[in-house]
Amino acid sequence: MSNQDFATLNAVVRGDDLQGKGASRRLRKQNLVPAIVYGADKEPATIAIRYNELIKSLETEAFFSHILTINVEGQGTEEVVIKALQRHPAKNTPMHADFQRIVRGQAMHITVPVHYVGVEDAPGTKAGGIFVSNATELEITSIPSKIPEFLTVDVSAMNVGESIHLMDIKLPEGVTIRELEVNEPFNRTVATMQAPTVESAAETADTAADAAEDQAAE
């Protein structure tokens, strides 16, 4: 799969024989996953995605924050973003997908991953601190052409006891964090550099004591 193959999916329109009770079983036999496309002031469209293509696309993180193209057989193409994915509780295989149509130039809400960089280089890490992240993804507002595949948070300057909050995140141009757009935004913590735990310190002391005893015994 090339870098952009994940962004294109092939689908068919779901007819009456592929909807309702028992449809999922019939779809699986046809290598299809039920899905719906909605939004952009158009009627929702019930479709079915090629199972193998969806499985491959799900292996790419950017699939969840990228503009996707769905080729609907006999109906043309739809530009969308994925909004929800239902998986089998035991097998973790995709069972149903919701896609939202995009409107070029119109802002929309989408959830994107958060990548933390510089953890190993941080002074706090070198001093024995423990880096803890409280957010693996965030909902942003952006026009489709400005949607980033992920947000990067540089933590390379963090010392023990320091924290990073939503307002500290450097955002690409035209991108905002939805939690900060409300009337009373809560500038919550997304990452901290915690001091070594008491247990860790005790274990270190015990190790040092054992080493001293071993040397004395020699």
Side-chain angles (χ1 to χ4, degrees):
M1 177 179 288
S2 69
N3 291 337
Q4 293 299 317
D5 283 349
F6 72 88
T8 301
L9 296 170
N10 292 297
V12 297
V13 176
R14 273 192 286 156
D16 293 338
D17 61 325
L18 293 178
Q19 300 192 50
K21 191 174 182 179
S24 295
R25 188 180 301 107
R26 293 193 296 274
L27 285 167
R28 283 195 296 271
K29 290 181 179 179
Q30 298 180 45
N31 192 37
L32 297 170
V33 177
I36 187 169
V37 178
Y38 64 88
D41 296 325
K42 297 180 181 179
E43 288 295 320
T46 53
I47 63 173
I49 301 291
R50 301 294 180 190
Y51 178 84
N52 291 341
E53 291 182 7
L54 182 57
I55 286 292
K56 290 181 180 179
S57 293
L58 291 174
E59 296 174 354
T60 305
E61 181 187 54
F63 176 78
F64 295 92
S65 57
H66 201 282
I67 297 174
L68 310 172
T69 298
I70 298 180
N71 295 319
V72 184
E73 185 177 331
Q75 301 288 328
T77 62
E78 298 266 21
E79 282 193 314
V80 303
V81 293
I82 189 166
K83 296 297 289 186
L85 181 68
Q86 180 183 354
R87 296 179 184 267
H88 190 282
K91 300 177 181 179
N92 201 38
T93 52
M95 297 180 64
H96 190 279
D98 292 2
F99 296 95
Q100 179 183 342
R101 297 184 182 97
I102 69 164
V103 179
R104 292 286 178 173
Q106 180 177 309
M108 64 185 304
H109 307 304
I110 185 170
T111 300
V112 298
V114 179
H115 290 182
Y116 299 92
V117 298
V119 175
E120 295 181 357
D121 297 326
T125 301
K126 294 179 179 180
I130 301 170
F131 176 77
V132 178
S133 61
N134 301 320
T136 57
E137 58 184 24
L138 290 171
E139 188 174 17
I140 64 169
T141 301
S142 171
I143 62 173
S145 63
K146 297 286 188 179
I147 296 174
E149 292 187 1
F150 53 84
L151 298 178
T152 300
V153 180
D154 186 355
V155 302
S156 60
M158 288 186 73
N159 291 291
V160 172
E162 294 184 339
S163 300
I164 292 178
H165 301 80
L166 288 176
M167 290 184 179
D168 298 323
I169 299 176
K170 294 182 179 180
L171 300 170
E173 182 181 358
V175 175
T176 57
I177 295 175
R178 196 176 184 191
E179 289 178 70
L180 299 179
E181 296 179 305
V182 297
N183 291 332
E184 297 183 4
F186 175 51
N187 187 27
R188 67 183 177 93
T189 301
V190 295
T192 57
M193 184 66 73
Q194 298 181 357
T197 61
V198 174
E199 290 78 11
S200 297
E203 290 175 0
T204 301
D206 290 341
T207 300
D210 291 341
E213 290 179 2
D214 290 342
Q215 289 181 351
E218 293 176 359

